[in-house]
Amino acid sequence: MNILWLSVSDPEPGLGNYANLFESEALPRIIWTTVRICIITTLLSVSLGYCLAYAMVHAYRKEQNMMLTFLLVSFWISILVRTFSWLMLLGRKGLVNEWLDAIGIISEPIAFMRNELGVLIGMVHYMVPYAVLPLLVNMQTLDQRVMSASRNLGATGAQTFFRIYLPMTKPGIVASVLLVFILSLGFYVTPAVLGGGKVLMVAEYISVQLLITLKWGIAAMLAALMLFGVLVMLWVMNRFMKLSTVFGGATS
Amino acid sequence: MKPSFLSLFNRAGAWVLLMFLVLPALIAIPVSLTPKRFLSMPKGEFSLRHFEKLFTSENWLSSFGQSAVIASSTSFLATALGTLCAIGLWRISSKYSEVVRAFLLLPLIIPQIISAMAFYRLWIPMGLLDSYSGLIIAHTILAAPMVLITVSASLANFDPKLEQASRNLGASNWTTMRRVILPSVRPGVMAGALFAFILSWDEIVVTLFISKFKVYTLPRRMWNGIRENTDPTVAAAAVVLIAITIIAFVVSALISRRRTQPDHT
């Protein structure tokens, strides 16, 4: 990975590429799109993931194993397959539109694809398992007796949840937020397919610059920015949860 | 805690969410059975023609073959590297080895597009672009951390005293490694090999960058099919991929069950 730093300074010496960032019009827009989509994806996936992890921790042993199986199966199904499925579901003549039409809710197909909505659906679908795993690891280590103690001392269920449970799961939440954010930042496949060229995110822009217009400088600059952001976030995450723990949950 | 209305609601919601995660991927199954020439749901009649096409077409079969070759070699190399690395780090286990470990895990989390770019840039002068060895090396670098994790997890449960005992009884370093350490981390090694295989089998982003004509892996062919968006053969290929994933998953579940069984009995 060190070589990346080389490719940052190599294409054109100096900071010309970075100045480009502020001068050109397209670049800030692409970065803004990327960040916005990543933030929405992260919020949605982590809140959904939180509910799921909460339900899993409190389910009976057998049900919990079943849930975990489902989660991991969806985790391991190829990203291409999943994106392709959404393509079939969400297209103009896709299944969702056909069904809605058949029921009579809509008269005209809704545009799910080639816009941010499609990209968001695809990305959230991909990210939820990643959001759940760190949360699950974190929640499983909590001492249930603390919650009982809180109830014993007269707190209501909601109070216990918000004042005791939520703060105690904070490391899990932070780890999960950062993990999902980092992964969605560099996400290539789903935005490229479901965005259909209309929603341009940084990863796709980099690949266009490299493979089609051959502008190594700009691509390297964007990659460096992304890498820098990722490393900072990793550093923050490392203070809350070890990286290997997060993935350890994924593989066991 | 007694099950309240809220927790029931939560549990139902969790199942709905799980369905949302799993079911959409399965849509490929009915679509692959459509008798029509374009992507559609079968209405009343089914046909296997797209599977037939998939398994008779020269292009698809060669892609399957190439992917299998690349994924198996990757799995083999990554497992060897990752296992050695994990054992090494475990033996040394100092403050620095933790730093090294964190560094080694980076390829897992660095956005793939950045790795792809780095490989592309590096492979050009090395002449590895668009070759089997280029892809295999790149995939190995991406997959080895996965093996490192699973083997490290196995090692965490391994009692270091066993190693000392073996050395005490006069076994050489190599014998200890082969007869004591390796057998006890075997589940981790196997799981790691499996994950490495899946990772390489599915890899698309890096593959897109560093292969062009000569090497055309399965994900690459699917990717093109998806972008052109008409051919249900892709759906058939997707079904085959899902089947493989599920088989791999069952195998890994069996391995991990065998690993945990001694604890229960």
Side-chain angles (χ1 to χ4, degrees), chain B residues 107-134:
Chain B
L108 273 186
I109 192 112
I110 295 277
Q112 283 191 325
I113 184 87
I114 296 183
S115 318
M117 191 174 155
F119 287 131
Y120 187 44
R121 177 103 193 149
L122 261 179
W123 275 198
I124 294 176
M126 291 165 77
L128 286 170
L129 216 57
D130 200 18
S131 70
Y132 277 97
S133 41

Side-chain angles (χ1 to χ4, degrees), chain A residues 1-79:
Chain A
M1 292 296 125
N2 285 347
I3 299 88
L4 266 170
W5 293 111
L6 188 138
S7 78
V8 174
S9 56
D10 182 52
E12 280 172 40
L15 292 171
N17 289 320
Y18 289 87
N20 214 334
L21 182 65
F22 299 102
E23 284 160 11
S24 91
E25 234 177 64
L27 281 178
R29 206 183 62 229
I30 290 167
I31 292 176
W32 170 232
T33 314
T34 310
V35 171
R36 191 178 58 222
I37 290 182
C38 287
I39 290 176
I40 303 176
T41 308
T42 309
L43 285 180
L44 280 175
S45 326
V46 173
S47 33
L48 287 175
Y50 195 88
C51 298
L52 188 55
Y54 187 84
M56 280 172 81
V57 169
H58 291 93
Y60 299 108
R61 182 101 202 134
K62 222 170 174 179
E63 195 180 2
Q64 191 183 344
N65 280 339
M66 245 163 83
M67 285 172 148
L68 198 63
T69 310
F70 270 86
L71 189 78
L72 290 182
V73 165
S74 87
F75 186 75
W76 280 115
I77 287 181
S78 160
I79 166 73

Side-chain angles (χ1 to χ4, degrees), chain B residues 52-119:
Chain B
E52 195 190 320
K53 194 173 160 205
L54 181 68
F55 288 116
T56 49
S57 137
E58 192 109 326
N59 288 339
W60 281 100
L61 280 181
S62 90
S63 288
F64 261 107
Q66 288 184 347
S67 276
V69 169
I70 291 173
S72 339
S73 339
T74 300
S75 169
F76 179 74
L77 283 176
T79 310
L81 266 177
T83 309
L84 287 179
C85 210
I87 293 178
L89 285 174
W90 172 77
R91 281 283 288 275
I92 300 164
S93 87
S94 69
K95 214 170 151 193
Y96 295 107
S97 70
E98 282 309 303
V99 177
V100 173
R101 187 190 300 269
F103 188 74
L104 288 174
L105 292 183
L106 273 182
L108 273 186
I109 192 112
I110 295 277
Q112 283 191 325
I113 184 87
I114 296 183
S115 318
M117 191 174 155
F119 287 131

Side-chain angles (χ1 to χ4, degrees), chain A residues 73-139:
Chain A
V73 165
S74 87
F75 186 75
W76 280 115
I77 287 181
S78 160
I79 166 73
L80 270 175
V81 172
R82 285 199 260 170
T83 308
F84 177 64
S85 311
W86 281 116
L87 193 77
M88 290 184 286
L89 281 171
L90 298 178
R92 261 186 89 76
K93 290 188 174 159
L95 283 176
V96 173
N97 270 327
E98 253 176 40
W99 281 336
L100 288 179
D101 195 33
I103 305 170
I105 299 180
I106 53 165
S107 51
E108 201 154 286
I110 304 176
F112 284 113
M113 261 181 42
R114 294 178 191 279
N115 58 20
E116 285 183 19
L117 183 64
V119 176
L120 275 177
I121 295 177
M123 281 178 74
V124 170
H125 182 244
Y126 184 74
M127 291 301 169
V128 168
Y130 284 100
V132 172
L133 292 169
L135 284 168
L136 204 60
V137 172
N138 176 251
M139 283 183 189

Side-chain angles (χ1 to χ4, degrees), chain B residues 10-239:
Chain B
N10 186 247
R11 190 176 302 165
W15 277 108
V16 171
L17 191 61
L18 282 172
M19 292 301 131
F20 165 73
L21 288 182
V22 175
L23 288 185
L26 303 184
I27 190 74
I29 296 173
V31 170
S32 69
L33 294 173
T34 184
K36 303 218 176 63
R37 302 185 72 109
F38 50 90
L39 282 178
S40 58
M41 282 300 268
K43 294 200 173 76
E45 49 188 328
F46 299 99
S47 103
L48 286 173
R49 55 181 279 192
H50 299 299
F51 283 96
E52 195 190 320
K53 194 173 160 205
L54 181 68
F55 288 116
T56 49
S57 137
E58 192 109 326
N59 288 339
W60 281 100
L61 280 181
S62 90
S63 288
F64 261 107
Q66 288 184 347
S67 276
V69 169
I70 291 173
S72 339
S73 339
T74 300
S75 169
F76 179 74
L77 283 176
T79 310
L81 266 177
T83 309
L84 287 179
C85 210
I87 293 178
L89 285 174
W90 172 77
R91 281 283 288 275
I92 300 164
S93 87
S94 69
K95 214 170 151 193
Y96 295 107
S97 70
E98 282 309 303
V99 177
V100 173
R101 187 190 300 269
F103 188 74
L104 288 174
L105 292 183
L106 273 182
L108 273 186
I109 192 112
I110 295 277
Q112 283 191 325
I113 184 87
I114 296 183
S115 318
M117 191 174 155
F119 287 131
Y120 187 44
R121 177 103 193 149
L122 261 179
W123 275 198
I124 294 176
M126 291 165 77
L128 286 170
L129 216 57
D130 200 18
S131 70
Y132 277 97
S133 41
L135 265 180
I136 292 172
I137 297 173
H139 283 181
T140 304
I141 294 174
L142 292 177
M146 209 72 185
V147 182
L148 178 64
I149 290 176
T150 54
V151 176
S152 298
S154 279
L155 277 174
N157 298 325
F158 176 69
D159 190 349
K161 289 201 198 88
L162 280 177
E163 192 208 349
Q164 288 158 13
S166 155
R167 301 278 304 185
N168 247 343
L169 291 168
S172 70
N173 224 335
W174 166 241
T175 316
T176 310
M177 169 91 174
R178 198 163 46 95
R179 311 266 315 250
V180 179
I181 300 182
L182 277 183
S184 54
V185 296
R186 222 178 73 194
V189 175
M190 307 246 282
L194 201 66
F195 289 140
F197 186 89
I198 297 179
L199 198 141
S200 160
W201 179 264
D202 268 358
E203 213 305 310
I204 173 71
V205 181
V206 172
T207 311
L208 269 183
F209 273 73
I210 61 175
S211 70
K212 278 200 178 65
F213 310 106
K214 275 203 310 224
V215 188
Y216 218 88
T217 64
L218 187 65
R220 178 106 212 248
R221 195 167 292 282
M222 282 186 69
W223 170 259
N224 278 10
I226 290 176
R227 298 220 102 174
E228 284 153 18
N229 188 16
T230 44
D231 192 359
T233 316
V234 180
V239 173

Side-chain angles (χ1 to χ4, degrees), chain A residues 137-148:
Chain A
V137 172
N138 176 251
M139 283 183 189
Q140 270 166 350
T141 56
L142 291 187
D143 191 345
Q144 288 298 325
R145 283 172 302 182
V146 178
M147 262 58 78
S148 316

